Amino acid sequence: KNQVEQSPQSLIILEGKNCTLQCNYTVSPFSNLRWYKQDTGRGPVSLTIMTFSENTKSNGRYTATLDADTKQSSLHITASQLSDSASYICVVIPYNTDKLIFGTGTRLQVFP
Amino acid sequence: KAGVTQTPRYLIKTRGQQVTLSCSPISGHRSVSWYQQTPGQGLQFLFEYFSETQRNKGNFPGRFSGRQFSNSRSEMNVSTLELGDSALYLCASSGLAGGPDTQYFGPGTRLTVL
């Protein structure tokens, strides 16, 4: 069982709509949780970084939330744009280590 | 600042050959990590170098090796290539040896093994 699981695996939405991506993790304790956006053929780009004590972090139209009790994080995208079409990867860094544990990602497609 | 650069961007090799991939981190960054990304497995950690020393290593066979130079540039080598080595190889740099500092990814090298 993966230590970081994401859902849904893929998602199709219309431009202008909102969506929420989920990340469930079993890594504990952890130092921080990150969301990355990866465009096709490119490397991942960091969207948000939250420490274990933070509940929410925003970056423009992207808002990440963290519930350490249920070990869940979500990434909410507001007013989606065609350029939001990408894979979104949840990453958890265990406490006191340098290693990143990656989820398998959610593939988002935004259609006009 | 210029971002992380990787060369080559695309590579086609045949089984049994070896390959060397290169990564130049962001100026001033001393930590370089390598990842393999495949559709089925997602991103998997290969190894991390900091100040020319390997600090962490993932669960990959010894065919996968790397090194880091005094200017922080890093190379990754895969010997005796197998079909399953076909993947996107990503390198990421950060200012610290891993930890909470943000890692900046390069565009990746797409390796195809025939």
Side-chain angles (χ1 to χ4, degrees):
Chain A
K1 185 173 165 62
N2 291 331
Q3 292 181 280
V4 180
E5 294 198 335
Q6 293 186 242
S7 61
Q9 199 169 28
S10 60
L11 184 62
I12 297 174
I13 61 174
L14 294 177
E15 187 179 14
K17 297 296 185 183
N18 303 335
C19 68
T20 300
L21 314 181
Q22 299 291 344
C23 173
N24 294 342
Y25 60 91
T26 59
V27 181
S28 183
F30 69 96
S31 62
N32 65 92
L33 184 148
R34 308 175 182 182
W35 282 92
Y36 283 88
K37 177 188 178 187
Q38 184 175 19
D39 293 312
T40 301
R42 294 178 177 269
V45 174
S46 178
L47 291 175
T48 62
I49 300 175
M50 290 184 291
T51 65
F52 66 91
S53 60
E54 294 181 289
N55 299 120
T56 185
K57 184 71 69 79
S58 291
N59 178 0
R61 296 180 296 103
Y62 301 101
T63 299
T65 61
L66 175 62
D67 186 333
D69 291 332
T70 61
K71 294 186 173 60
Q72 293 181 326
S73 176
S74 63
L75 180 69
H76 187 73
I77 303 175
T78 305
S80 61
Q81 300 175 358
L82 298 180
S83 60
D84 292 332
S85 295
S87 289
Y88 292 84
I89 304 170
C90 174
V91 182
V92 180
I93 300 177
Y95 178 75
N96 221 24
T97 76
D98 301 334
K99 295 184 179 178
L100 279 65
I101 301 178
F102 291 85
T104 52
T106 292
R107 175 72 185 155
L108 174 66
Q109 293 177 275
V110 181
F111 286 150
Chain B
K1 278 185 180 178
V4 178
T5 58
Q6 291 186 246
T7 58
R9 290 295 312 277
Y10 303 92
L11 202 51
I12 298 176
K13 291 285 189 179
T14 57
R15 278 181 297 174
Q17 287 187 306
Q18 74 164 22
V19 66
T20 298
L21 312 181
S22 180
C23 170
S24 292
I26 291 173
S27 177
H29 281 188
R30 296 165 65 188
S31 170
V32 174
S33 298
W34 287 91
Y35 298 88
Q36 181 194 66
Q37 186 176 36
T38 58
Q41 298 291 324
L43 271 155
Q44 295 188 86
F45 172 74
L46 280 156
F47 27 65
E48 183 212 359
Y49 287 88
F50 181 80
S51 294
E52 302 178 66
T53 302
Q54 187 181 89
R55 289 182 63 94
N56 286 297
K57 191 176 188 304
N59 298 321
F60 278 81
R63 300 185 295 108
F64 292 81
S65 62
R67 59 177 175 169
Q68 186 180 34
F69 302 96
S70 58
N71 61 358
S72 293
R73 189 177 71 83
S74 177
E75 286 182 348
M76 190 192 94
N77 185 275
V78 187
S79 62
T80 320
L81 285 167
E82 301 176 358
L83 295 179
D85 296 334
S86 294
L88 179 67
Y89 289 88
L90 292 161
C91 134
S93 79
S94 66
L96 305 175
D101 191 32
T102 300
Q103 287 196 335
Y104 296 87
F105 284 85
T109 293
R110 172 73 63 184
L111 172 64
T112 302
V113 182
L114 302 177

